Amino acid sequence: TGMLLCGVDIGSTNLKVGLSDGAGRLRHVEIVPTPRLRGDLGPVTDPADLLRHIEDLIIRAWQAAGAQPITAICTTGVGEDGLLLGADLRHLAPVIPWFDRRATEDADNIRASTAATMSAGLAMDPTRTGAKWRWLARCQPDLMARARLWVALTDYPLIAWGAAPFMAETLAARTGCYDPVARDWIAALLTECSAPPLPPVVPA
């Protein structure tokens, strides 16, 4: 069919890259453990290392599938993990994984606040991005002050390659601060969570 489509799945446990042709036939797939580092409070992800792994997997898949042109790349994966970027779109710190529980106190305080609402369609708990934002603002204020943008880890490869920040709407909903019916951020929750600046939300 003369073209290849590439899918990248950034999972909590494994990183997967697959190539299919225009007829939907799977041409190649490779699965490796999601790269992690050990941070002070538990495992974290180095965005640059993750990006290198993804690029290596794509190149190997492309070579194995006959080196035909790749006409589209899409990413999917973890919904709550994200990273702070500077003005040059370079990451400022490792990524805290969704399963990390350091933001338990923050989640409790958010749920008890006047900003708490069911409009987000889910309860704020320590795995949600909003709780992690509050923890970062409370425990790493200098880092948050340097940040010019926060993006979802699943979107990060496409942002790094295209230099155009965005957030897929399905990932915005996973933060716990987005109203999927109104299709907009919940301003009171963003304030309560000390949210950093956010990119435009686009359909997945």
Side-chain angles (χ1 to χ4, degrees), residues 72-181:
I73 302 175
C74 68
T75 58
T76 187
V78 290
E80 293 80 10
D81 302 14
L83 57 155
L84 295 166
L85 302 179
D88 57 0
L89 296 185
R90 294 184 181 274
H91 70 278
L92 300 180
V95 175
I96 303 169
W98 65 269
F99 51 80
D100 182 290
R101 308 294 291 185
R102 73 187 70 188
T104 297
E105 176 186 340
D106 298 278
D108 292 344
N109 288 334
I110 294 166
R111 287 197 309 274
S113 74
T114 57
T117 173
M118 290 306 296
S119 296
L122 47 84
M124 188 65 68
D125 65 42
T127 71
R128 298 298 170 195
T129 312
K132 298 294 199 304
W133 287 337
R134 193 178 187 277
W135 182 90
L136 285 166
R138 183 169 58 85
C139 297
Q140 298 185 3
D142 292 343
L143 174 63
M144 286 289 270
R146 290 164 46 212
R148 295 295 174 266
L149 202 61
W150 184 97
V151 300
L153 182 62
T154 292
D155 292 330
Y156 177 63
L158 303 182
I159 293 168
W161 297 327
F166 69 94
M167 188 184 303
E169 191 168 36
T170 55
L171 301 179
R174 300 284 287 275
T175 65
C177 297
Y178 189 81
D179 185 333
V181 177

Side-chain angles (χ1 to χ4, degrees), residues 32-58:
V32 300
T34 301
R36 301 280 188 196
L37 301 175
R38 186 73 187 178
D40 293 339
L41 298 176
V44 293
T45 299
D46 177 349
D49 188 38
L50 177 71
L51 192 61
R52 283 192 296 270
H53 273 75
I54 292 172
E55 290 172 346
D56 288 346
L57 288 171
I58 290 175

